[in-house]
Amino acid sequence: MNKVLILNFGSQFSQLIARRVRESGVYCELKPSSLSYKELLDFNPSAIILSGGPSSVYEANAPSLDPKVLEMGLPILGICYGAQLLAHMLGGTVVPADTLKSREYGYTVTDFDNSSPLFDAIGNQSVVWMSHGDSVKALPSGFKVTASSAGCPYAGFENTDKKIYAVQFHPEVCHTEKGMQILGNFLHKICGFDSSWTMGNYKDIAITNIREKVGDKKALLALSGGVDSSVAAALMSQAIGKNLTCVFVDHGLLRKNEGDEVENIFKNYPVNFVRVNAQKLFLDALKGVSEPEKKRKIIGETFIRVFEAEAKKIGKVDFLVQGTIYPDVIESGMGSNAAVIKSHHNVGGLPDHVDFKEIIEPLRLLFKDEVRSLGTELGLPSALVNRQPFPGPGLAIRIIGDITEDKLAILREADFIFRTELENAKVENASQYFAVLTDTRSVGVMGDSRTYDCMVALRSVCTSDFMTATITHIPYPVLEKVSSRIVNEIRGVNRVVYDITAKPPATVEWE
Ligand code: XMP
């Protein structure tokens, strides 16, 4: 299998490069630029991409590359800082930002030489996304310029004999009109890679590897009903069948019908499925608790206790399965396996100290969209595979103040109505949408009577990474219908508001 190594020099877009390469059907991994030459050889890449980054090549301790890498004969693509580093290492000149009249940020019209294989068939002018201070001022010998903009005469350069290509702009961001085509040209035309990285292929390889590793031993998986743990469960189930036990702890803080939906899907799988109905335990532990972080802590701890008790009942289990995915691995610094295992808990905090020989993370190299398409390959229903994220502590952090059965019942219904109406109306740009039960009560009038009831808030955001989010522009008639249904159908609610705050300054969840 062809493998692209992306060396991360610290750009905010590095993860995006990896996603784009995978979208082109080519396998890649993102590694820190500090990777040693030996580690690089061990990885055995078929091509290398150097990411952008915030440094300047002439700074003391600027991140660099072992010069031997440039002698390996592999196709190399340098992006932004990666391009400057190539120019610098190969004898060109890079000038610092402060010697230039202006830096170049944002949309930039750029001219391309279409005789370059990198820019083949993309047209001779289009818009790219620039974001750089330093610039290449003189090319290394043997290189020719292949792209230029008004402020950047060397926006692209290459040496086809050495298979080294460089771009000052960012082909990986969607603002670069022909970005996907440029990356595709590098991967397919220059490197000659096919598009064989598909989830169908991955599924077969992963199942073989899991079988080899687990043999006839037993594995345990904490199933939350979220996308990651469900896909991990389906994959493990196809690999080891009855030697897998999935423990699904129903903490009573799930959305309407959610517990039964999860059970209905997994009880038909050839695995041991254990549903632990621990609703009372969780509600008792949460009684009278209003402080959000305290709620989270109690839920995490209670979860661990329940999970441990189940693990003991099952007996000797060698492997613990976790649904860690690639962004979790990247975000935790791409450190060693041991560090990652400790910092990642998918279901409200898994026990570190339970006596497992090994942890299996069958999704640890996949992005979320790949996890979803693997789920589809494995036959999971679309409603499960495409579900929106749901926090581990569940509805507990969507009820402001203390949690009671009555409040949970109100919130479940309001949330169900909102989600149903939004889905029926096919509202766009709704990445995560839910209801919140506030602790505000207000006066209303129903029939001829005064009411003094609860206020429900609706929240819907558009985001791809959940780090920043904008609000969904829900049409007023849809909001009116949701509001009318909630106050008419749910006793105890007489007011509905829509949260119109972006993240930042607000967060997605209210707690
Ligand atoms: P915030 O509220 O921080 O949420 O903007 C960002 C995303 O993370 C989810 N979230 C959680 N997920 N345990 C989880 O598993 C939690 O305690 C938790 N808090 C927030 C949230 O739903 C959103 O998708």
Side-chain angles (χ1 to χ4, degrees):
M1 184 174 72
N2 294 308
K3 288 196 291 188
V4 175
L5 172 64
I6 301 163
L7 287 175
N8 185 6
F9 288 92
S11 158
Q12 52 177 323
F13 304 129
S14 297
Q15 210 185 111
L16 213 45
I17 304 173
R19 291 193 54 175
R20 298 284 175 259
V21 172
R22 298 263 187 106
E23 279 167 25
S24 298
V26 177
Y27 182 71
C28 65
E29 284 188 37
L30 184 63
K31 305 257 184 200
S33 62
S34 56
L35 196 77
S36 72
Y37 183 59
K38 176 169 180 321
E39 287 167 322
L40 187 145
L41 289 180
D42 288 346
F43 180 74
N44 192 22
S46 323
I48 296 175
I49 296 179
L50 311 177
S51 84
S55 310
S56 292
V57 288
Y58 44 78
E59 267 171 15
N61 302 322
S64 191
L65 193 65
D66 191 316
K68 293 195 280 299
V69 175
L70 301 180
E71 304 300 324
M72 292 170 75
L74 294 175
I76 296 179
L77 172 65
I79 295 174
C80 197
Y81 179 80
Q84 294 159 12
L85 183 64
L86 287 171
H88 180 68
M89 290 179 72
L90 292 162
T93 313
V94 177
V95 285
D98 50 17
T99 65
L100 299 168
K101 280 197 209 85
S102 64
R103 294 164 183 231
E104 217 175 7
Y105 287 111
Y107 293 103
T108 310
V109 175
T110 300
D111 294 316
F112 296 101
D113 172 355
N114 295 144
S115 72
S116 158
L118 193 64
F119 302 131
D120 183 40
I122 65 159
N124 51 25
Q125 191 177 72
S126 67
V127 168
V128 305
W129 184 258
M130 290 279 190
S131 177
H132 65 108
D134 298 359
S135 273
V136 174
K137 195 175 171 208
L139 294 183
S141 79
F143 279 73
K144 72 165 191 171
V145 61
T146 53
S148 55
S149 68
C152 184
Y154 301 111
F157 50 94
E158 69 187 24
N159 180 327
T160 49
D161 293 337
K162 286 186 185 292
K163 296 190 232 166
I164 295 179
Y165 299 80
V167 288
Q168 181 54 70
F169 58 89
H170 289 271
E172 69 277 22
V173 304
C174 59
H175 311 294
T176 297
E177 274 174 358
K178 307 285 179 181
M180 253 330 253
Q181 250 172 292
I182 294 169
L183 287 173
N185 282 345
F186 177 69
L187 298 166
H188 305 305
K189 294 211 163 90
I190 294 169
C191 302
F193 301 157
D194 58 17
S195 301
S196 55
W197 170 256
T198 62
M199 284 304 103
N201 290 342
Y202 176 79
K203 183 186 85 174
D204 298 336
I205 296 167
I207 287 175
T208 309
N209 290 343
I210 292 164
R211 281 187 185 143
E212 261 172 34
K213 185 170 198 161
V214 179
D216 55 6
K217 300 206 169 72
K218 290 199 165 77
L220 187 65
L221 181 147
L223 187 66
S224 68
V227 179
D228 304 341
S229 69
S230 298
V231 173
L235 182 66
M236 291 298 297
S237 134
Q238 293 204 8
I240 63 167
K242 284 279 178 195
N243 281 336
L244 176 70
T245 300
C246 295
V247 177
F248 169 51
V249 179
D250 185 343
H251 51 23
L253 305 162
L254 298 170
R255 289 167 291 187
K256 186 171 172 171
N257 302 332
E258 197 164 19
D260 294 344
E261 282 166 12
V262 173
E263 180 169 358
N264 285 337
I265 292 166
F266 285 96
K267 76 177 183 209
N268 293 322
Y269 271 68
V271 297
N272 300 303
F273 176 86
V274 180
R275 174 174 176 170
V276 188
N277 288 317
Q279 293 91 332
K280 188 169 176 333
L281 192 67
F282 279 85
L283 280 189
D284 285 350
L286 286 166
K287 205 170 200 154
V289 178
S290 299
E291 212 270 305
E293 285 313 303
K294 211 166 166 198
K295 287 183 191 172
R296 275 196 173 76
K297 231 171 156 232
I298 290 170
I299 293 165
E301 278 168 15
T302 312
F303 181 88
I304 290 171
R305 277 211 307 276
V306 176
F307 188 78
E308 278 178 332
E310 288 306 312
K312 269 200 197 101
K313 279 188 214 159
I314 291 158
K316 187 167 162 38
V317 177
D318 282 292
F319 298 93
L320 177 70
V321 186
Q322 284 200 30
T324 313
I325 69 170
Y326 202 38
D328 305 333
V329 176
I330 294 173
E331 275 154 26
S332 55
M334 295 176 291
S336 69
N337 287 4
V340 170
I341 286 165
K342 283 241 178 314
S343 62
H344 280 283
H345 300 302
N346 282 295
V347 191
L350 285 182
D352 282 332
H353 53 281
V354 170
D355 191 17
F356 294 101
K357 271 209 186 115
E358 224 176 305
I359 295 194
I360 300 181
E361 296 173 305
L363 311 178
R364 74 177 265 121
L365 294 174
L366 303 186
F367 287 109
K368 192 82 172 184
D369 50 334
E370 293 175 315
V371 171
R372 292 192 204 275
S373 72
L374 177 62
T376 307
E377 284 288 335
L378 289 159
L380 287 173
S382 141
L384 179 64
V385 162
N386 295 310
R387 72 176 14 179
Q388 48 170 313
F390 184 61
L395 300 182
I397 56 166
R398 293 179 181 172
I399 292 176
I400 312 304
D402 67 327
I403 296 150
T404 63
E405 296 263 24
D406 290 347
K407 289 183 187 174
L408 276 167
I410 290 177
L411 179 57
R412 263 193 207 110
E413 282 308 315
D415 182 69
F416 184 71
I417 291 171
F418 181 43
R419 285 189 292 123
T420 308
E421 292 300 334
L422 223 59
E423 283 157 21
N424 287 348
K426 299 194 170 36
V427 172
E428 288 179 354
N429 299 322
S431 319
Q432 191 172 4
Y433 43 99
F434 53 88
V436 174
L437 184 60
T438 73
D439 56 355
T440 296
R441 300 183 96 197
S442 70
V443 175
V445 52
M446 275 181 140
D448 290 327
S449 313
R450 175 189 192 269
T451 57
Y452 186 59
D453 282 335
C454 299
M455 181 170 89
V456 163
L458 309 174
R459 179 82 166 134
S460 178
V461 293
C462 174
T463 172
S464 56
D465 57 10
F466 296 89
M467 309 287 280
T468 60
T470 52
I471 62 155
T472 308
H473 292 200
I474 304 176
Y476 278 117
V478 179
L479 285 171
E480 273 175 328
K481 186 166 183 200
V482 173
S483 162
S484 153
R485 279 197 62 191
I486 289 176
V487 291
N488 282 306
E489 294 176 31
I490 306 171
R491 273 189 99 107
V493 181
N494 66 354
R495 195 175 293 267
V496 178
V497 296
Y498 183 40
D499 177 353
I500 50 167
T501 330
K503 173 182 179 177
T507 52
V508 175
E509 303 288 347
W510 274 39
E511 286 198 336

